[in-house]
Amino acid sequence: MAEEATRQLPNLEDSLSYFTDESASTKVRGNIKLQLALEGIEQHAQNKGLSPDTILSLTQVITSGKFADSTNSRLVKCLIPATTVPEEAAVRAISWMCTNKPSKNVQALLLRWLVLVYDLIDGKDKLHALYGVLFFFIQSDVLCPHVCHLLYLLTRKQDVRLFRVRPLLDMQTRVGAQPHVTGLLSLYKLYRPELINVPLKTHRVFFKQTDKAWAALIRQVQLRNCPREERDQWLKTTQIPITNLINDVDPTTEPRAKKAKLDCIPAIEYSGCLDQNTTAQSDKVPVQLVGSFQELLNNLDNLELPSQAAAVLRSQYLQHLVSCHPQQHVAHRIGYWLYRTLHQDLVDCPSASTKPRVEKLLKALINFTDFLQEGVPLCEMFLWEYLFTWNGLDHRPQILQLITRSRLHPFQRLNDYVLEPLRRLFFTSRVHCKCQILACLTELLRNHVSVEWARHQQTQNSEEETTSLSLFPVDSEVFPALQSIQELVFYVDRLCVVGLQQEDGHAMLMHYTLGFFELVTQLQRRFDIPLVHAPSAPIVYMAMFDTNALTVARICAIMYGFREEVTSLKQKPVQESYGFTSSSIRKFNNCILDICDALWRCKAFSSGKNEASVFHVPKSVVKQTGIEGVGESFSLYNHIALQGFTHTFLQKSLPPGTPITPRPRSRQSTQDRSAYLDFLTSQGLEGIQGFISSFIKVGKSSTPSSAAPSTASSTATSAYST
Amino acid sequence: MPEDVDTPDHDTSTPGTAVSDTPASERNTYRSTRFGTGVRDTPGGEGGTSLSVSRLNRTLQKGHLQRRYTPYRTPRTRSMVSPATDRTNTQEVDAQPDWSGLVRCSLSVYHVTPLYRYRWDKAGVKQLSGALSLHLAQLATAADANMYKAAVTVKEDTDESFALEITVKRRDTPGRSGSLYAVLCNVEGEVSQTEQGAFSVLPLLLMTGPATLQNAVVSWLEQRFDCRVCPMSFQSSDLLWAMALGLVRGNSGKVKQQTLDLQYDVPLKEAGLDKISLQIPVKLAQALLNSVSEDTENGLQLDELHLFRQALETHVFDYFKIHLDMMKLSLVATPVLFVDKVGRLKILSVDHVHAVLRMMTSFALERSPLTACLKAANESRL
């Protein structure tokens, strides 16, 4: 049926020619040709849209005033652009409206059309020149909503003048607050707050979307005509604006809380009288008008900072602005405000009622510092004071996270201000809190080595103050930063030792301890910090004899990583380095030997042990235990953490029917063992294989018992003899 | 009145009390228990590095390093007279601007972070009056939009320091009722306001008037100067200093009130008892203060003040068996001034306004972290 209809209808050219033909009849009633031409155009417009030229010629037809109102209305409805709308057409439409010949209905229709296709008009300067003309239409009650919407779209800062504000305000007093007038006024107020003194009502939507079907049609046609890759872009950026832009400031933030009290961050406001020379500021754009990242990029140099600098916490866009144009006074204003506000709510008069808003503020602050990758120095000062009286409960996740953004300080200062309160909390609380603190200290170290170290180096090296790495002022204090980091590592090491003892090697605490040392064993290779630190012996042994296989594997990986660190440090040209003394190496070698003895050589309690060894137990005591083959009790097969894996492995590898028990050590072949190690690796315990392969040179003989021992010790000692 | 007190040490008992910041200080104190009884730390003691489980739960414990830094900036000594102009009362009256608006009314004390973009010239100040009127009009409803008349003026001092005076008057009622008077000043603070650049430092705000108006002015200041205005609350040590000021300065015979009033909060509010007040004749209090201090005017020490307080409290304990030392001081009334812990202040004599403002300014500056960072801010001014 539809196809038949199209066949009957004239094509676009014919239809157009009917309208452009001077001699054509303009009669509506009974004029079949006119009807057919109209339908032809409608059909085409709704399917494919009209080209700019067609739109222009149709506007000419409409504005000639030749045809009746009903025909004109239908034609306006047909003006669905395939690509863009020529500016000429828009100007023509407005000019014709000014002649007052068309009826109010057609005028309104044209305005509605302009609002709908506003984003598709190919140039806006000429249209903008008609701003003053358009403004006169607000006197008409019918046209007012549409004109207000169009003006809202067109307004630039220089358009906001007192003589325009006055009639709008008059109108508001005359007929009450209309959403569309309020919408326009609030935009004016945004640009020039000093001109509008009255409080404005906030409406959810300023401009009603009257032409939903029409808008959807235009959108569909546009989508159909766009190439695919452009379409995605277009979908993101171009939208026919319907919503109240001012009220939803930032798409990334959650909607504003109803009660203002819940939200203590100042609103983004501009007070025009602050500007000492208003002319220079006239091209500044308020951030509320920025709707996408693309727009932000375009306006980055013209964005205006709100009058209260702390409002940047509200908007991601403003944070971009602040970090791209670092200004000291802005940084100080933010700092002062944050310090005072946090101090007021947390130290001076803490109360249960302020908790939600403080939490919100702290979260915003954490987002801000994460974005900048630096802490706010005054917040750090606040933290120092707060930690002194902190009960360890209020806002714990946020406070700990703020601590991680701490700057590099001499260790004494860091200890007195931060570590001491944390230590007190650590030892008086449960294991869960201990883990949180340990995670916080790990992140603190990560921040120090990955961000602050570079910043510190830069301030030390460059003579004049550079602000490229930092928004906030940096102290150019001279102190041994490396030593400070080393002492921090050392401190956490001892904290872990005592914490693990207190909690009896709790699995979760062990996890965080190992996490910390996994970071420490990357300092040299990943962060280029000439610092090596091996976990102290109690931690190594506790992890080694843990019942958790992953713990065993991870400590092996850490030991192995430490060896890599040392070798890579040795290859570097000689420079000042820390944590690399012969006594620490000796202690570490002892640990390695013990692990090798236990895991690989099955000689855990054999005689002739070094005094420093953990297996240095008198023979008589070992005998008293009455365990046969006590030396093998911590071997790869028998280690309590690995027994489950041994069982699975043997089940798979031994021929069915044989009892599942590992062969005694003398009868194990190298192949067996390496197969077992491969199996462990496949189970996610690759640390063990890495450890064995790096510390033990497996001999060619089938019984490794003779080859392994000497190599293990020689590898260890040769690698670390200084 | 017990005059010789042989326990030399009274604790610094409340949050925010003095702990010296200097590395060489031998008087490092820890505030530890919830009752605020701290124990003095002996320096150079077992600065042991061992962390042992058995010691962990002790409330008082040393770190493995001797503590050198504390976050508090309260000084241990204050001078009750200004170094230059303040020698005698007569000179002071000549040199100072007219503070009579601040006398004998209940003032709320606020502290203010540095003001941004403040213009000191006449045009700038004139603009401020307009802006404040406008702000108040916006807050008011349509009916009484023009109810308030605001004026902002600058009070100039001899030595280049000045205060900002804010007056808001109701148009419909004559006189002071319903109107607001506020002074924003920096009287001989450590950080002088002339060090300004992008910022000016006027840390102390005193206001009298209806609370709604006060809030309106506070919000206007915050928006206009991008600062933060917070009500100031006073700790026990602050109140003690204020009391000392009242005693030292209040020795002229003209004053009416001849008693020193102290009020203590009772920790557990039972049986309708929530405060205990103590009234002492000023003469006796002054004599006691003179006996514990060597130089009351210039170098009064915090320790000496604590000694004074302890003497009083021991006395009360002897007679009434009340442990005042377990309670917090909440109000002090002297012939010169009246202060309470929530930040209400009344200055009773115009002669002493300057001295009181000076002390309040130093309180306000101690609450703001700007001493270190202000210079950097000004150097980097655009």
Side-chain angles (χ1 to χ4, degrees), chain A residues 535-699:
Chain A
S536 46
I539 295 176
V540 176
Y541 291 126
M542 249 177 154
M544 193 56 227
F545 300 125
D546 202 275
T547 53
N548 186 342
L550 198 58
T551 308
V552 178
R554 282 172 80 184
I555 194 71
C556 286
I558 287 170
M559 305 293 270
Y560 166 64
F562 177 70
R563 185 205 139 130
E564 299 279 298
E565 286 274 293
V566 173
T567 34
S568 103
L569 188 66
K570 274 186 171 178
Q571 284 159 6
K572 297 242 162 135
V574 182
Q575 55 177 332
E576 202 185 3
S577 64
Y578 287 92
F580 196 57
T581 59
S582 54
S583 79
S584 72
I585 296 291
R586 208 174 317 121
K587 278 183 198 161
F588 182 70
N589 274 343
N590 272 328
C591 293
I592 291 178
L593 285 176
D594 279 341
I595 296 178
C596 289
D597 279 349
L599 275 188
W600 191 258
R601 296 174 61 206
C602 305
K603 287 189 174 175
F605 291 97
S606 65
S607 56
K609 283 283 173 195
N610 185 349
E611 270 189 32
S613 165
V614 74
F615 296 120
H616 181 69
V617 182
K619 251 189 177 174
S620 54
V621 178
V622 176
K623 253 187 188 168
Q624 269 179 9
T625 58
I627 303 170
E628 265 183 56
V630 69
E632 285 189 37
S633 48
F634 294 112
S635 73
L636 273 181
Y637 287 100
N638 291 341
H639 193 295
I640 185 165
L642 301 174
Q643 268 174 356
F645 293 94
T646 314
H647 188 261
T648 323
F649 172 71
L650 292 178
Q651 245 179 352
K652 281 181 186 169
S653 62
L654 290 179
T658 42
I660 294 175
T661 171
R663 271 180 253 175
R665 178 170 163 73
S666 51
R667 284 171 53 206
Q668 287 167 8
S669 70
T670 320
Q671 285 80 16
D672 275 356
R673 285 181 156 211
S674 64
Y676 181 53
L677 283 177
D678 286 341
F679 172 73
L680 286 182
T681 306
S682 72
Q683 298 292 312
L685 306 174
E686 56 280 315
I688 296 177
Q689 195 173 30
F691 180 87
I692 301 286
S693 62
S694 85
F695 287 113
I696 298 194
K697 280 183 192 153
V698 181

Side-chain angles (χ1 to χ4, degrees), chain A residues 189 193-194 196-199 264 269 271 273-276 281 306-310 327-330 332-334 336-337 339-341 343-345 347-349 357 378 381 384-386 388-389 410-417 420-421 423-424 427-428 465 473 477 487 491 494-495 498 501-502, chain B residues 15 19 21 29-32 49-53 56-57 59 61-73 111 113-114 116-117 119 127 131 134 137-138 140 198-199 219 222-231 233 235 366-370 372-374 376-382:
Chain A
K189 191 172 183 175
E194 73 275 15
I196 299 159
N197 310 332
V198 292
C264 54
E269 278 174 9
S271 53
C273 50
L274 260 187
D275 307 331
Q276 301 191 352
Q281 303 271 341
S307 55
Q308 280 177 285
Q327 287 169 304
Q328 290 266 315
H329 70 86
V330 175
H332 281 282
R333 282 151 70 191
I334 298 172
Y336 289 147
W337 187 89
Y339 174 87
R340 200 55 260 170
T341 309
H343 209 281
Q344 179 71 20
D345 281 346
V347 180
D348 289 350
C349 15
R357 76 164 191 228
L378 278 178
M381 286 177 87
W384 294 345
E385 285 172 42
Y386 183 54
F388 220 65
T389 52
F411 182 72
Q412 171 87 52
R413 194 188 300 159
L414 184 74
N415 178 68
D416 288 358
Y417 282 143
E420 178 60 22
R423 187 186 63 82
R424 251 183 268 165
F427 286 119
T428 47
E465 274 187 35
E477 191 184 2
E487 285 191 62
Y491 178 91
R494 282 175 304 155
L495 202 67
V498 185
Q501 281 171 9
Q502 199 186 8
Chain B
V19 179
D21 204 359
T29 47
Y30 286 87
R31 290 171 312 99
S32 49
T49 51
S50 64
L51 296 160
S52 72
V53 186
L56 296 176
N57 288 327
T59 44
Q61 188 175 24
K62 290 149 72 72
H64 76 288
L65 289 166
Q66 184 67 41
R67 176 179 278 283
R68 207 188 289 164
Y69 299 95
T70 58
Y72 296 101
R73 293 180 292 273
H111 51 129
T113 60
Y116 174 65
R117 277 209 279 206
R119 285 173 65 192
Q127 217 182 26
L134 214 139
Q138 286 187 17
F199 294 95
S219 71
E222 289 187 345
Q223 279 174 27
R224 182 66 183 72
F225 298 114
D226 195 4
C227 61
R228 186 90 165 91
V229 183
C230 291
S233 55
Q235 305 295 345
E366 280 150 25
R367 283 160 171 74
S368 89
L370 50 85
C373 45
L374 186 77
N378 288 331
E379 280 162 12
S380 65
R381 196 195 176 188
L382 288 173

